């Protein structure tokens, strides 16, 4: 899908406006365990991803400059449609700073378009996640991002622009801490591993895929933007968006040292904790000895996204656990692997997984994101439809 077509698609979306709120100053009493995801967009080697638009997966292509230890060119996922930028200082300061800057600047317009759904004059912060280590390079990238926003109608609503080098848990990334922050936050996350240093790091970890038939990760790149609402303790029900609670985390023995059954049981227990069935459905299922509710309505998520399906043993581990937990899920139609979609996007992987989870959902659908790239830790985040929860609450009242 071309950039022009996704731009038009995003522009034409009709979203219900948020209720008008009179919040004009930073606050520090937001909940640390819950966020509301309102919208998202991403740029990948497969094209632009946005609400209602997920392009077909593109196969990796041979890199013109990157080679494996055997001397052969590597297969990589490179974003083709990036706006070239002349900023020679960035290249001198840090190896991949210019590429990150280009990715960020390319997504800015689509990211700002998502702000149209917010209440008039609603204030927002920007959190930029990009693995920039040079203070000088970071300052240039942040200031160029600020300049791009200031040139729009959202200049007066812009709060803080904060940079963090690491991705990870979204609650931690957008947390305001003691300094406070605005009620809405635009989280922009970018990374590119298409350079010798990052490829060498993947090789050192022994996770790099060196051919089309071997297990492992392809070096990739991506940039994602998510519009998120920080929630106050008094915030209750919403008619739109997706609730993201704190991820459920399990530390466990190294995957490579466990048998398939043990790995499956560990992930299965994690999925049950992260996505418990409703009380009514659980009671009925227990009485029937089944995993499907008596009324035939599925309690499974409509979408499952995994970060690293290509690593050795992950497909068996995840597939067997999902089949046992939700036998009705078809991973071909209802699932996606971030690494299979856009290669391994480094620090942008969590943001990219959330985009791939939300993009195809209807307002009443929910999803789960499973992170299994780490050898000794697994994490599951759930995206719960606010509209579905509100409707369920009204039915029970």
């Amino acid at each position: 899908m071309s950039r022009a077509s996704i731009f038009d698609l995003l522009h034409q979306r009709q979203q219900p406006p948020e209720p008008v709120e009179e919040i004009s100053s930073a606050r520090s009493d937001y909940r640390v365990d819950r966020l509301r995801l309102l919208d998202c967009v991403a740029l990948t080697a497969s094209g632009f991803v946005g609400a209602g638009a997920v392009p077909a997966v593109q196969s990796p292509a041979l890199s013109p400059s990157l080679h494996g230890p055997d001397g052969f060119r590597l297969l990589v996922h490179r974003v083709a449609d990036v706006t070239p930028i002349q900023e020679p200082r960035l290249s001198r300061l840090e190896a991949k700073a210019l590429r990150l800057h280009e990715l960020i600047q390319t997504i800015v317009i689509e990211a700002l378009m998502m702000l149209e759904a917010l209440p008039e004059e609603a204030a927002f912060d920007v959190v930029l996640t990009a693995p920039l280590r040079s203070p000088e390079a970071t300052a240039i990238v942040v200031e160029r991002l600020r300049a791009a926003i200031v040139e729009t109608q959202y200049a007066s609503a812009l709060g803080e622009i904060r940079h963090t080098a690491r991705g990870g848990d979204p609650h931690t990334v957008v947390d305001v801490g003691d300094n406070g922050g605005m009620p809405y936050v635009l989280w922009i996350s970018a990374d590119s591993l298409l350079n010798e240093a990052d490829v060498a790091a993947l090789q050192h970890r022994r996770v790099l895929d060196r051919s089309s038939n071997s297990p492992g990760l392809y070096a990739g790149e991506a940039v994602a933007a998510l519009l998120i609402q920080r929630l106050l303790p008094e915030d209750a029900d919403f008619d739109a968006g997706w609730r993201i609670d704190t991820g459920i985390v399990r530390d466990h023995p190294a995957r490579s040292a466990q048998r398939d059954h043990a790995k499956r049981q560990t992930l299965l227990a994690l999925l049950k904790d992260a996505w418990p069935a409703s009380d009514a459905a659980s009671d009925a299922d227990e009485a029937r000895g089944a995993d499907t509710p008596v009324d035939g309505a599925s309690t499974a998520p409509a979408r499952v996204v995994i970060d690293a399906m290509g690593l050795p043993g992950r497909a068996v581990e995840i597939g067997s656990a999902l089949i046992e937990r939700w036998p009705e899920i078809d991973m071909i139609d209802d699932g996606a692997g971030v690494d299979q979609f856009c290669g391994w996007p480094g620090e942008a992987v969590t943001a990219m997984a959330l985009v791939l989870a939300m993009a195809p959902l209807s307002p009443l659908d929910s999803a789960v994101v499973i992170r299994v790239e780490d050898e000794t830790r697994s994490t599951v985040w759930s995206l719960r439809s606010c509209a579905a929860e509100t409707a369920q609450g009204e039915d029970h009242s």
Side-chain angles (χ1 to χ4, degrees), residues 123-271:
F124 68 97
D125 292 324
V126 175
V127 174
L128 173 63
T129 299
L132 295 163
R133 294 171 177 81
S134 162
E136 294 85 356
T138 301
I140 292 172
V141 172
V142 170
E143 285 309 309
R144 296 293 184 273
L145 177 58
R146 184 189 306 277
I149 298 173
V150 168
E151 292 176 356
T152 71
Q153 68 268 36
Y154 302 107
S156 61
L158 175 61
E160 175 191 28
I161 298 182
R162 175 164 53 88
H163 169 259
T164 176
R166 301 295 301 272
D169 180 71
H171 301 79
T172 302
V173 171
V174 305
D175 183 28
V176 297
D178 296 332
N179 296 326
M182 301 305 175
Y184 298 95
V185 55
L186 191 61
W187 177 22
I188 300 176
S189 184
D191 200 357
S192 174
L193 276 62
L194 305 188
N195 59 81
E196 293 183 357
D198 284 323
V199 167
L202 292 176
Q203 291 175 343
H204 179 73
R205 292 174 53 205
R206 298 182 178 179
V207 298
L208 183 68
D209 192 333
R210 300 177 186 175
S211 73
S212 60
N213 297 318
S214 63
L217 302 174
Y218 296 112
E221 59 183 359
V223 56
L226 298 94
L227 182 59
I228 293 171
Q229 182 182 6
R230 295 164 170 151
L231 298 178
L232 296 167
E234 62 267 25
D235 288 332
D237 298 332
F238 295 95
D239 294 329
W242 286 265
R243 189 191 84 208
I244 307 177
D245 290 337
T246 302
I248 305 298
V249 182
R250 291 289 182 275
D251 292 314
H252 47 70
R255 287 184 158 87
S256 58
Q258 294 187 69
R259 294 183 180 274
D260 289 343
H261 175 74
K263 291 188 290 185
R264 180 177 70 249
Q265 291 304 117
T266 298
L267 184 56
L268 180 62
L270 180 58
L271 291 174

Side-chain angles (χ1 to χ4, degrees), residues 373-396:
E373 176 258 345
D374 195 292
E375 266 285 298
T376 59
R377 172 169 290 191
S378 301
T379 306
V380 176
W381 290 278
S382 60
L383 282 69
R384 297 279 189 172
S385 165
C386 295
E389 291 185 336
T390 298
Q392 185 179 17
E394 293 174 349
D395 291 342
H396 291 164

